[in-house]
Amino acid sequence: MDAVPALARWFHFMAAIMWLGLLYYFNFVQVAALKSATADGSAAAINRHIVPRALAWFRWAAVATWITGAALLGKNFTAAFTLQSGHLAIGIGAWLGTIMLINVWALLWPAQKRALGLVEATDAQRTAARRRAFIVSRFNLVLSFPLLFFMGPAAHTPAYF
């Protein structure tokens, strides 16, 4: 096995585990935990110390996943993204990952910055930003399930596509 594709695959898997692991953490753990933390007054510490660090890892894991995935596609990059025969499954997975990456950087991160008070915003803007972040995060959560299917078994089993 050539060293560059082997390293790209390893980094792709590791970055994807980080990205999706944090996506699942935010959606399944943090949302409920922050409700409890708000009730007992400890949410401010979580929002100040944990959330910004987790979001940084989340954002950059998304970038690393996409770049290493593109490297793995190599000469098949165009065939995958144009959904050509033999590349349909991996192409759908690549498009799902691309949509999720765009959501992270163009919608989720700007909303999180407002919601967390990292940029100036009125209370109404913060409330709207929290709602937008929640919806975009849940949308990415929903997309992650077909993403895993199309990046995993479907992409490597000719019987599917």
Side-chain angles (χ1 to χ4, degrees):
M1 180 180 274
D2 191 21
V4 173
L7 284 173
R9 184 172 308 283
W10 190 84
F11 282 114
H12 184 65
F13 287 163
M14 295 307 295
I17 289 168
M18 177 70 71
W19 183 16
L20 292 182
L22 284 166
L23 176 67
Y24 296 157
Y25 160 77
F26 288 130
N27 280 278
F28 294 123
V29 177
Q30 183 176 291
V31 170
L34 279 175
K35 284 181 186 174
S36 300
T38 300
D40 72 15
S42 59
I46 294 168
N47 283 333
R48 187 177 320 116
H49 299 290
I50 296 171
V51 175
R53 182 173 290 169
L55 285 171
W57 279 97
F58 176 72
R59 290 189 321 274
W60 291 107
V63 170
T65 302
W66 196 93
I67 289 171
T68 55
L72 285 171
L73 287 172
K75 64 182 169 102
N76 296 312
F77 183 89
T78 302
F81 274 92
T82 56
L83 305 175
Q84 293 179 15
S85 178
H87 298 89
L88 183 61
I90 197 71
I92 292 170
W95 272 111
L96 289 170
T98 301
I99 292 165
M100 290 172 66
L101 173 70
I102 292 167
N103 284 345
V104 166
W105 282 92
L107 300 174
L108 187 57
W109 178 230
Q112 286 289 12
K113 286 191 291 188
R114 279 195 185 98
L116 294 170
L118 301 176
V119 297
E120 285 207 29
T122 66
D123 287 341
Q125 289 172 323
R126 284 189 183 147
T127 299
R130 279 192 290 275
R131 182 72 180 147
R132 172 178 271 187
F134 177 80
I135 290 169
V136 172
S137 187
R138 289 294 163 97
F139 184 69
N140 270 8
L141 175 69
V142 169
L143 290 181
S144 75
F145 298 113
L147 170 92
L148 288 171
F149 173 76
F150 285 109
M151 289 295 185
H156 302 289
T157 306
Y160 283 112
F161 297 93

